[in-house]
Amino acid sequence: MKKIVIPILAALCLTGCELDETIYSSIYTEAFYKTAADAEKGLVAAYDPFADMYSGPAGTLIADFSDDQTYPRGVVGRNTLTLFTYDVNYTTQKSNSRTNESPQQIWISGYDGIEKANWIIAKVPDAVMDETRKKQIIGEAYFLRAFYLWMLTKNFGDVPIKTSPSYSEADAIVGKSPKAEVYKQIYADLDLAFAAGLPSYPAVDKGRPAKEVVNALYAKAALYNEEWAKALEKAQAVITSGKYSLMPDVRNVYKYDQEDAARIENMWAYEVDPISPGRSHQMTGLCGPAASSGPEYGRTTFGSMFAYQKFYNSFSPQDKRRQLLDTTYVDKSGKIIPQRSVTPITTEGVLIKKYQDPVSTQNLIPNIPIFRLADMYLIAAEAEARLNGATPAAYGYINTVRKRAGLADLATGLSKDAFIEAVLQERAWEFFAEGDRWYDLTRTGKFLTVIPKAVNPVYPVRNVTAKNKYFPIPQDELNANPKLEQNPDWK
């Protein structure tokens, strides 16, 4: 109960009066995070920016529309990512109401999520509740803070590190830290998350990170930071935990009616459900043919995202993953539509089949994978090779993924560099349209040579430059934070 002293004007005189007021209309941080229910609600709130990031889904599209695998129909500003014509204001995205597909959404969601995780870390330790669950909630907050920070640094490079909540406006004004310091913070948060007693699969709730997922993020962050031994150690820890395994048929990882079964491989994902109102994403609608003409793709589709013909041609005909792409489709009348008629923007349109949802009117069934077990095998293969060359162990990791795809073992006798190149190619085939490839190209410096060759009649020229390794910090953020500086190449 809050005491408020106010003056009251009486008819004949002024007197002092104390009013006892119980506040019902507002929640203050001083009064919140006191109970188990508060802590659980605070944790749900910390996941909300994650949903903002992936419902657009900026979490995948900014990478997918930049890479050499997939491209957009040039509407509502999507082609600025493919043509590298975006500016520090992300003007085209804003003018087309597509901030949710832009790098700016990553920044907005990332720091929103970090702020909410910071409140949990600061306040929940004093909550009156079961100590085991309290520890887990705080551990999840550390994991989320690490994930948000990783999303920020892989897109913007040097970024602010914020580890305490904003009790005042001044607390929110923080300058950038070098990328090396950002990764130290990510590792520190993941160490605390791992020690928090998070459950392992299958005991974990849908959409929440299992203990092994903490190591999965650790492995991938270390790979991006070129700490090969750490990446190998954490990837091996996930693989040898025995909690996850590859699905026998790679196509079932994405099938709308195999979602629960696929959790054995799909370790952590952006989870959606066929309800309204509810969280959704655009991938089903973007990837299906225009005018909702292909029933197997979805009830409402727009023909706005395709794979490059050259990428489709790179697959072996024996590779089962090629069946997650198609050059024809069956329309509502049962007629086979030839490739030349898939889309009016090109005769070489290749459809993406990873996000098909033929049954839901809400297009809410397919999850967007974020960490899959296959990633751990390929991280281990690359890290082992970078440390020790193309060893039998490195071959074993990559061949596990190739065997599931229906391919023969990788040719033996490869040099270290040739083997690493084979791993990067394997990653391209395995994770297309999952927001992964662009970061493989930028972390290895290959984007400057690969992207100019990834052209077609829709995008015959793609003028990528060195500054595109990282996206520019949104001008709105620079205006709001006087301690923040633009990335050097974008000044």
Side-chain angles (χ1 to χ4, degrees):
M1 184 169 289
K2 185 175 180 181
K3 300 278 189 180
I4 301 177
V5 180
I6 61 173
I8 299 178
L9 178 64
L12 298 175
C13 65
L14 290 172
T15 61
C17 177
E18 280 194 353
L19 174 66
D20 289 341
E21 180 187 18
T22 300
I23 300 172
Y24 296 102
S25 59
S26 300
I27 296 176
Y28 296 89
T29 54
E30 291 84 356
F32 199 57
Y33 304 104
K34 298 292 188 182
T35 67
D38 291 346
E40 296 288 357
K41 290 172 185 175
L43 184 58
V44 170
Y47 278 92
D48 194 52
F50 170 64
D52 292 338
M53 191 181 289
Y54 277 88
S55 60
T60 60
L61 290 186
I62 64 170
D64 288 338
F65 287 165
S66 302
D67 68 20
D68 60 332
Q69 300 174 329
T70 57
Y71 64 93
R73 183 163 54 94
V75 295
V76 295
R78 292 176 181 134
N79 58 356
T80 65
L81 290 162
T82 307
L83 295 172
F84 304 97
T85 56
Y86 44 84
D87 57 46
V88 297
N89 287 295
Y90 298 104
T91 304
T92 304
Q93 282 86 352
K94 285 181 182 178
S95 62
N96 287 281
S97 300
R98 281 294 182 268
T99 297
N100 62 324
E101 297 179 4
S102 78
Q104 186 165 8
Q105 187 66 58
I106 300 293
W107 189 281
I108 293 168
S109 296
Y111 283 107
D112 183 17
I114 287 171
E115 180 70 18
K116 289 171 178 173
N118 283 341
W119 281 110
I120 294 169
I121 293 166
K123 293 289 187 178
V124 170
D126 294 330
V128 178
M129 61 180 296
D130 177 78
E131 289 298 319
T132 298
R133 181 59 188 147
K134 178 195 291 187
K135 188 176 180 182
Q136 290 174 345
I137 288 173
I138 297 169
E140 278 191 61
Y142 278 119
F143 171 84
L144 287 173
R145 190 168 74 180
F147 175 76
Y148 289 131
L149 199 52
W150 178 63
M151 289 293 291
L152 287 159
T153 193
K154 73 177 183 177
N155 282 291
F156 298 100
D158 298 344
V159 295
I161 298 172
K162 197 166 185 303
T163 58
S164 60
S166 297
Y167 293 91
S168 67
E169 184 177 340
D171 292 337
I173 307 302
V174 179
K176 292 197 297 185
S177 293
K179 189 174 69 169
E181 294 300 315
V182 176
Y183 275 98
K184 284 183 181 179
Q185 184 62 52
I186 291 170
Y187 299 153
D189 284 350
L190 292 175
D191 284 336
L192 290 167
F194 190 81
L198 298 179
S200 292
Y201 179 82
V204 67
D205 290 339
K206 296 178 181 179
R208 297 293 178 87
K211 183 178 182 180
E212 295 74 27
V213 173
V214 177
N215 275 335
L217 173 53
Y218 212 134
K220 195 143 190 182
L223 183 79
Y224 280 32
N225 203 35
E226 299 186 356
E227 296 187 60
W228 315 124
K230 195 183 296 284
L232 179 60
E233 173 196 348
K234 300 301 181 180
Q236 286 176 327
V238 177
I239 294 167
T240 60
S241 72
K243 299 296 183 180
Y244 295 92
S245 60
L246 298 182
M247 295 194 79
D249 189 333
V250 67
R251 296 167 295 183
N252 287 339
V253 175
Y254 309 96
K255 284 187 177 179
Y256 71 95
D257 57 355
Q258 295 286 319
E259 179 182 286
D260 286 333
R263 295 180 198 283
I264 194 70
E265 174 178 344
N266 195 4
M267 302 168 60
W268 195 54
Y270 170 55
E271 298 265 351
V272 288
D273 291 299
I275 58 173
S276 181
R279 285 291 192 171
S280 63
H281 62 70
Q282 294 192 80
M283 295 303 286
T284 296
L286 292 174
C287 294
S292 308
S293 55
E296 69 173 314
Y297 285 86
R299 293 194 176 190
T300 305
T301 60
F302 308 104
S304 298
M305 181 175 178
F306 304 94
Y308 287 99
Q309 182 72 46
K310 183 177 179 181
F311 176 61
Y312 177 80
N313 293 344
S314 72
F315 284 86
S316 164
Q318 286 74 46
D319 195 329
K320 294 177 182 178
R321 294 168 297 194
R322 194 175 77 160
Q323 296 177 46
L324 293 165
L325 298 166
D326 212 342
T327 55
T328 66
Y329 71 92
V330 179
D331 71 8
K332 293 177 180 178
S333 69
K335 178 182 177 183
I336 297 177
I337 304 301
Q339 185 177 20
R340 65 178 181 274
S341 302
V342 165
T343 171
I345 64 174
T346 177
T347 59
E348 297 180 348
V350 179
L351 292 164
I352 299 163
K353 303 177 76 173
K354 282 189 172 181
Y355 300 100
Q356 290 180 317
D357 177 3
V359 299
S360 171
T361 57
Q362 301 300 322
N363 289 338
L364 291 176
I365 289 181
N367 293 338
I368 296 178
I370 298 175
F371 295 119
R372 292 201 283 118
L373 184 64
D375 205 354
M376 298 301 104
Y377 279 106
L378 294 179
I379 288 173
E382 181 178 343
E384 169 69 16
R386 290 189 184 275
L387 286 169
N388 304 309
T391 64
Y395 270 98
Y397 291 129
I398 191 173
N399 285 336
T400 298
V401 176
R402 289 176 62 85
K403 181 178 180 180
R404 196 268 294 270
L407 299 177
D409 287 351
L410 188 65
T412 58
L414 293 179
S415 67
K416 175 180 177 178
D417 289 345
F419 183 88
I420 292 170
E421 189 63 34
V423 174
L424 293 173
Q425 179 60 67
E426 204 67 43
R427 294 185 62 87
W429 290 326
E430 184 70 28
F431 303 117
F432 72 86
E434 296 180 35
D436 191 78
R437 172 67 169 173
W438 171 248
Y439 305 113
D440 278 348
L441 295 176
T442 55
R443 71 180 175 86
T444 59
K446 294 180 180 295
F447 70 105
L448 291 173
T449 54
V450 170
I451 296 300
K453 299 174 184 177
V455 294
N456 65 2
V458 185
Y459 299 104
V461 178
R462 300 179 66 199
N463 291 318
V464 66
T465 64
K467 73 178 184 180
N468 298 118
K469 178 176 182 177
Y470 295 116
F471 294 103
I473 294 173
Q475 187 63 45
D476 291 344
E477 305 300 329
L478 297 171
N479 295 341
N481 182 352
K483 292 186 179 180
L484 196 57
E485 294 183 10
Q486 184 58 271
N487 288 334
D489 290 340
W490 283 94
K491 288 183 178 180

